[in-house]
Structures are given as C-alpha cells and as structure tokens.
C-alpha cells in the first residue's frame, strides 16, 4: 500500500483524488500495489466533501506519519508550499507538485534536497498542464543538446488570441467573454501580462540547460496591446499571433523572453489554438519535436500529478530526476537576440526614410486598414531595431516575428 | 565506463555512433560515467570506415565480453535480430532497438525475458523515429486509461500525400519524385501499402492496452488508390487526406486499422505534413495530447536509440518498461467501427436512391470536377456502409472520415 497526502483540496487537489479513484485499477496495477489517499490537508472545513474522513488541518500529522511516503503539493504560491515541500523531503517523503511558482523559484534547491535524501521531487504538471514535457526533457531527449524551446504555455491568452483572430473582436471584449466563461480570472494580470508563461519558460530553460534561470531575468511582455488591426495584418501575412515563451542557445549565450510573436504556417505551433498549449523543442540531433495538449484544467493537470505519484511510488529510494544546478544561468542580453520585426507607422510616414533606416523591408497591407503604413524588416538584432526605430516619432505597433 | 556494441552499421547504426561522439560530453554527464562503443558488428567489411578498429563479424565475441552491458540492435527484420536480442538478454546485456518488425512480432516475449533477467528491452525508435512516444506512453500517461491512439506513422506516405495536396499531382508522379529524392524506396510497398504503419500501430496498441496485438490482424489499406480528384474533394471539404494508423477502445472492444482517412482542420494531426510524423493520444483523464517530430532519418532515429542507451545505462539491474502480456488481444471486427464515409459515384447515379439508402448525406462538389456525384454519409458502422454501398453498381472511390 502506497499512502499519500494531498495538500490543498482546490480544483487540482480534488482532481487528483478523482483520478486516483476513477482509474484505481490500472494505476494500482502499474505500481504493483494499491495507492491510497490517507490525508487531505486544507485550511477550509472539508466536512461536506467526499474527503471528510481524510481531512486534516495540522501538517505535523502528515509529517509524523511514517506510512505516508508521497506528498502531493497543489496549493500554489511559494509559501507555505516551499516550507511544506522541504519538510516532506526532510521527513523522507517524495513530493509531486503542480506549482509553477514553487518550481521556478525553489526548484534547484528542492531537487538537490530530494537527491541528497534519495527521494524524488517531481513537477510534470507545473508546465503545460497534462502535456508530458518535463519527463520527456528529463528522460527522452537525453541524447540531444537543446538549441531551442518555444512554447504556447498559457491557455487563457491562447484562447483570447484565437478568438480575436477568428472573430475579429478586440482584446477587451474577448477578455470579458473569457472571464464570463471562467477561462480568465477576474484579475487576469498573471495570464495576460505573461507572468504565468514567464515562470514556465524559466522552468523549461533551467531544465534544458542545467542551471537556475531566475524568472525575474526573463524579459516579459503580455498581450494587452494586441489589437484587432494587428490580427488583420497577421492574416494578410498568413501568420498567427501567439504569446510565446522562448529560449534559444546560440553559441554560449542563452536568450529567453516572453512576448506576443507572429509565427508562419510551417511552424509546428501554428495549429495550437483555443485553450490548448504546445511546446516546441529543437535538439541538435533529434531536430524539431512538438508536444501538444491541454495546458490546464482539473483532470488533465491531475493526470500529470498522478503520473508523478506513480513514478515516485515505483522509485522509492531512487532519485530519477536530472537535477539542474543552483548556479545561476546568466541570460544573455536580448538586445543580441535576432528576429524579424513587423512595424506599423502612420500613413503619412516618410517611406524613403523607412528604406534608408531599415534597408529592404516587405510592405504589408491588410484588408480594411487604410490609414497606416506597415512593413516587415529583415532579420535583425533587437538592439538594432530599437535603435533604428527611434528615427520615427510615432509608432503604432510592433510585433516580433519568430523565424525558425 | 559503459561499453556498448552496435549491431549493424547502416544508416541508423552509423547515426548512433555519430550521436554518441557528437554529444559525448552531455551524454556522459547524464549517465555519470563515459559511454564507449566497443564493437560494431556488420557482415560487410568496415575497414574503410571510422569504426574499423571496433569491427567484428562474430557475435560471440560480443556475447562473451562481460564488459559489454548494452547491445544496440539496428539491423532491421526479425532474423537474425530476434536471435541476437534473445542471446544478448540471456548473456546479461540490455537491448535497445529501432526495429519495428522485431518489436511488433516478438516484443512481448523479449520484454518478458528482459524483466525476468532484471534487464531492459527498449525500443523508443521503433515507432515515430525520434518522437518520444514509447516512453511517454510507458511513464507519463500512466494515470490514464487510453481511449484512442491515432498516428501519422510513415513519413514517406505523408510526404507523398502532402505533395499531392499541395501540387495537385497524381500518386504515380509524386512517388517517382519521392524515389528520386531518396524519400521512397525503389520497392515502396512497405510504405505505400501501409505495412510499415501497420507494425507501428500494432506496437502502440499492444503498449496502450497491455496485450499482444498481432499486426496481421490489423486491417490495412495503403494510399495507392488516392487520386488527384480525391485531393480536390478534400480541399472542398476543408480537410486533409492522411494515412492513419488508428486504434480505439469502445467499451470492451479494441478496433485497429490502417487506411487513408480525411481529417478536419480541428484535428491535432492536421498540421503534420511532409516527412514528419505525429501521434495523437486520447486518455480518459488527460484528454487529447499529440506528439510531433521527424518519424525517420539517421540522426533523429539515432537520438531515440541513444536515449534508450542512456536509460539502460542509468538502470542497470532494474527493469523499467511496463511490459505487455504475451496474451493475444483479439481485435474487434472493424465492421462495428464507426466513421463517416466520403463516397464518389458517377454523375448519372440515381440521387434519390442515395437518399433512400444512406438517408441524409452532405453533397460535395469540388472545383474542376464535373462528371461525378460525391457525398459524405452520417457516422455509421463500417459493415452498414459496406452493405448499403452494394446498391450501387459503380463506385469511383471511398475515403473514411475520422470523426473525433
């Protein structure tokens, strides 16, 4: 019997209990012994829930119960999750978590602690919800050196951008619709400003390159400035606008950023729409691979957490995660990062000056947009773009184009 | 030091040696000790190759060398691969293989043998080339019960179908072009008749449902009957024609087949073009996930083989593969399998009879096709379709439509 404790009975916590119950037969078969939820910790009163008999509010009961070998942490946020996870490992219990804030900030430390105790700290659900990406990076793409990871890592913003593109409506209107449908929070900053995607690309970058990436170092822009007009231009260019978290290794430099970007019809992420997530990886021998699925949601996320529980149960006293070093990875200045730039200027802008400043550009016209002048630059460094664009007083908009 | 032997110095075998050499630093770091190719077995004279000093023709040298702990089998075909793999396991060596014929026919037996010896028999590269799919099914989707696996599993046919759709050329012409470019064999039957995809869906189905699926039992149709006209209709329907290997569990029945099918714009496989492969999986809690990448090719395939070598090296004396039982999985009669059917009849066909026989159908007209009458049926059982279509003397073509 594998006894586990679930910390937090919110959406994901109740999903974990549900998945273990629904698929208990196949799960127990895979582990080789039955898995049993012995405790559910929550501050709230759970007496009216199906887990009333398992409910505790005092974490010490879990820590001091030697029968509990795995702790599932699905509280979210750094504290008390960090203290709870540390204590669990110190008490000889492996930890499975869906908590991106915790992993982004304390992942290296908790991985090292788990390794030192011959336990496991697993976090498949912290990036991409149900999509297997942490384990493939850790165990499948091991023959490769990673050149690039680029992902659509946030379902809310992908839903908003998909709706804006399909229906020709503006950001504010679609956000309201998403909030009504429960796809976006009342306070949507974490999603629409890119903070959520930022933590996820920090985790993926740390794992891919083996050193700690501080999410605060990742240049992050959200989607609030994307307009109906941008969508018309994207359509004219046969591209889609996506909020991407991207990191690339070029020579010894690692660049990472989160921002809305245009991608073309041949990019593997082009078909990732609505609330779905997709993660594209390029390795030096495997080439391009892509992983697609539900990036959030109760059951998909719980599926990933329970897969971690199964892995932890099958690897008692055996550490299986490739750890990343606590040593800080100094991200390179994104000024050196190269893209093409899609730029919108007022109609009366001096076109000969555009040519003079940017050289050959591709002019773009979009259906129903008559009072602007828009163009796409050649591939160039961010800092060169930022320097050159100063020559123009009024810039209506700029979106980077991801060039593979 | 991990000493390995590579059986077969063809495309993949030389790729394995190259990958280990190119990425030796990161690979050795991940294993924790250096990996070294001690032998390369090939019938041919390798004295002019970079592996001349490692070349052997007598397999006993490898079997009797206790320093060799992992054997890489990339010969292809059932024999001598089966004998070699069996002997390796009996001599205490784990096996990594890219050989779909071997895994489809002898996988259950070799998995059981490896388990009994506390060794590993790993075969990530046998399906989907470089795409991680065996390990995700084995280790990531463990919390789920699988409802469906549908894949574009053969790069050659996907290249041909993509070209036919993009360029409006006929099968024979595109095949010739693919042969000239080296994407298709001189004797292309294994690809174009679906035999290759058949073995791969048999492997995936065995793994997903835990019992042996005999590939001979999988109903298999190739793409040789697909025409330029079919492509025009697909375009009119806003769909793509793909060669799919598909297996679905409905109630207690498992259906499996390989055939060209139409998929719509919302199917996750719709963007899988050219020589790329994609594998779609639906689980009862995770929902839809999809894995995309290079389905063949020297380095991508070698990447998957070397990832297996790394896993085997990290798991000495510890069996890690979920095995499937040697017990035969009796596939259900595909007569009960439900699809929509796209049907082409001569122009003078009796349309009131179509309505009488098939009920409500959706008529389809395609640009430049004037001498036919085409329609899409409602979702119905294969056997019902086959019975009803007998009412029509002349049928120009039929393609199943995959309805999610």
């Amino acid at each position: 019997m594998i006894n586990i404790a679930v910390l937090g009975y919110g959406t994901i916590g109740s999903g974990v209990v549900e998945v273990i119950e629904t698929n208990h037969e196949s799960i127990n078969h895979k582990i080789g012994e039955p898995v049993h939820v012995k405790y559910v910790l929550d501050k709230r009163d759970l007496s009216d829930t199906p887990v009333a008999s398992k409910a505790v509010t005092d974490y010490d009961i879990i820590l001091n119960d030697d029968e509990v070998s795995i702790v599932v942490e699905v509280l979210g946020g750094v504290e008390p999750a960090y203290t709870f996870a540390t204590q669990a490992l110190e008490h000889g219990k492996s930890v499975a978590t869906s908590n991106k804030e915790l992993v982004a900030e304390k992942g290296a430390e908790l991985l090292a602690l788990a390794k030192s105790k011959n336990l496991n700290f697993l976090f498949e659900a912290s990036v991409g919800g149900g999509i297997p990406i942490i384990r493939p990076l850790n165990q499948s793409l091991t023959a490769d050196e990673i050149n690039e990871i680029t992902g659509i890592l946030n379902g809310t913003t992908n839903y908003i951008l998909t709706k804006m593109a399909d229906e020709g409506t503006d950001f504010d209107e679609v956000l309201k619709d998403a909030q009504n449908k429960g796809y976006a929070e009342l306070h949507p900053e974490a999603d629409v400003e890119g903070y959520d995607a930022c933590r996820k690309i920090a985790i993926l970058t740390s794992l891919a390159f083996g050193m700690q990436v501080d999410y605060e170092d990742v240049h992050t822009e959200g989607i609030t400035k994307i307009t109906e007009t941008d969508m018309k231009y994207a359509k004219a260019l046969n591209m889609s606008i996506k909020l991407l978290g991207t990191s690339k290794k070029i020579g010894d430099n690692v660049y990472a950023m989160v921002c809305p970007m245009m991608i073309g019809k041949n990019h593997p992420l082009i078909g990732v729409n609505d609330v779905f997530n997709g993660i594209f990886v390029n390795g030096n021998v495997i080439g391009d691979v892509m992983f697609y699925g539900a990036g959030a949601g109760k059951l998909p996320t719980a599926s990933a957490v329970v897969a971690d529980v199964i892995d932890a149960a099958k690897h008692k006293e055996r550490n299986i995660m490739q750890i990343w070093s606590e040593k800080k990875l100094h991200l390179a200045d994104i000024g050196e990062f190269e893209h093409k730039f899609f730029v919108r200027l007022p109609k009366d802008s001096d076109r000969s000056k555009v040519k003079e400043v940017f050289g050959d550009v591709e002019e773009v016209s979009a259906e129903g947009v008559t009072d602007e002048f828009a163009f796409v630059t050649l591939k160039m460094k961010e800092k060169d773009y930022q320097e050159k664009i100063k020559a123009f007083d009024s810039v209506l908009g700029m979106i980077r184009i991801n060039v593979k």
Side-chain angles (χ1 to χ4, degrees), chain A:
Chain A
M1 173 94 83
I2 303 285
N3 285 288
I4 74 170
V6 177
L7 314 185
Y9 195 67
T11 305
I12 302 172
S14 60
V16 168
V17 173
E18 184 179 332
V19 167
I20 288 174
E21 202 169 292
T22 305
N23 289 345
H24 66 275
E25 206 175 314
S26 61
I27 290 170
N28 295 348
H29 175 74
K30 280 167 196 160
I31 297 178
E33 52 187 313
V35 61
H36 172 241
V37 179
K38 189 165 181 183
Y39 301 108
V40 176
L41 178 95
D42 207 296
K43 284 184 298 193
R44 295 165 301 179
D45 178 9
L46 300 180
S47 54
D48 282 346
T49 72
V51 294
S53 66
K54 306 167 190 291
V56 293
T57 53
D58 179 3
Y59 189 43
D60 283 339
I61 295 172
I62 294 169
L63 286 177
N64 294 322
D65 186 337
D66 288 341
E67 284 183 5
V68 174
S69 57
I70 301 166
V71 168
V72 170
E73 185 284 304
V74 286
L75 295 159
V78 176
E79 281 297 354
Y82 168 61
T83 302
F84 285 179
T86 306
Q87 289 175 329
L89 292 167
E90 281 168 349
H91 283 75
K93 303 169 198 314
S94 285
V95 173
T97 182
S98 61
N99 185 334
K100 61 188 170 293
E101 292 93 353
L102 176 66
V103 179
E105 194 148 325
K106 302 290 187 181
E109 183 187 326
L110 291 165
L111 281 165
L113 177 58
K115 194 181 168 83
S116 76
K117 298 279 181 184
N118 230 3
L119 295 165
N120 285 292
F121 176 70
L122 302 173
F123 47 90
E124 181 61 73
S126 67
V127 180
I131 305 173
I133 179 63
I134 302 296
R135 200 172 278 103
L137 275 178
N138 190 55
Q139 291 170 359
S140 290
L141 303 182
T142 49
D144 275 75
E145 292 177 11
I146 305 297
N147 296 318
E148 176 183 351
I149 301 187
T150 296
I152 295 170
L153 301 168
N154 179 274
T156 303
T157 46
N158 205 38
Y159 174 82
I160 292 173
L161 292 171
T162 304
K163 282 279 161 197
M164 285 176 71
D166 287 354
E167 295 173 6
T169 34
D170 230 327
F171 174 78
D172 291 331
E173 198 175 322
V174 180
L175 174 61
K176 231 172 277 171
D177 165 65
Q179 285 170 323
N180 288 337
K181 286 193 173 141
Y183 290 166
E185 311 269 345
L186 196 60
H187 299 287
E189 293 75 21
D191 295 317
V192 300
E193 296 293 358
Y195 307 149
D196 174 81
C198 169
R199 281 161 180 78
K200 291 170 177 170
I201 194 67
I203 294 171
L204 293 177
T205 310
S206 299
L207 198 57
F209 302 113
M211 288 167 70
Q212 172 68 21
V213 172
D214 291 339
Y215 68 86
E216 297 94 334
D217 296 346
V218 178
H219 176 89
T220 299
E221 301 174 17
I223 63 164
T224 55
K225 290 176 193 156
I226 302 296
T227 64
E228 218 178 312
T229 308
D230 292 319
M231 289 295 172
K232 286 180 185 162
Y233 281 113
K235 201 172 168 189
L237 285 162
N238 208 16
M239 291 190 173
S240 287
I241 302 172
K242 298 290 186 188
L243 180 66
L244 300 182
T246 184
S247 64
K248 272 194 195 178
K249 185 168 189 181
I250 300 169
D252 288 334
N253 290 330
V254 176
Y255 302 94
M257 68 194 298
V258 173
C259 62
M261 295 183 106
M262 289 194 190
I263 54 176
K265 291 297 165 201
N266 289 325
H267 198 290
L269 294 174
I270 192 75
V272 181
N273 293 317
D274 297 314
V275 295
F276 285 93
N277 284 16
I279 299 150
F280 165 85
V281 183
N282 177 275
N284 74 333
V285 290
I286 204 170
D288 295 348
V289 288
M290 197 270 284
F291 305 81
Y292 167 99
K298 176 177 176 168
L299 293 181
T301 307
S303 161
V305 174
V306 174
D308 278 349
V309 168
I310 294 169
D311 230 6
K314 288 172 71 176
H315 293 90
K316 276 180 277 194
E317 293 173 28
R318 186 182 180 98
N319 180 268
I320 53 170
M321 274 295 291
Q322 199 69 32
I323 66 167
W324 71 74
S325 154
E326 289 185 66
K327 209 175 134 192
K328 182 180 167 86
L329 175 59
H330 289 278
L331 295 173
D333 181 353
I334 63 157
E336 302 289 325
F337 204 177
E338 292 189 341
H339 312 283
K340 288 184 177 181
F341 295 82
F342 162 77
V343 185
R344 289 165 50 206
L345 300 179
K347 193 176 187 177
D348 58 3
S349 304
D350 181 348
R351 296 181 191 205
S352 64
K353 193 165 125 191
V354 169
K355 202 178 154 103
E356 196 181 298
V357 171
F358 283 102
D360 275 338
V361 299
E362 177 195 351
E363 292 187 27
V364 193
S365 50
E367 217 183 305
V369 187
T370 52
D371 51 350
E372 302 191 354
F373 171 63
F375 61 91
V376 173
T377 70
L378 294 176
K379 194 173 174 180
M380 60 195 301
K381 289 184 178 172
E382 175 91 22
K383 68 173 181 189
D384 292 338
Y385 166 79
Q386 298 293 359
E387 189 55 39
K388 285 173 195 287
I389 200 66
K390 287 180 187 162
F392 300 89
D393 295 333
S394 170
V395 180
L396 304 176
M398 179 278 280
I399 300 175
R400 296 170 188 87
I401 298 180
N402 185 293
V403 188
K404 268 182 64 186

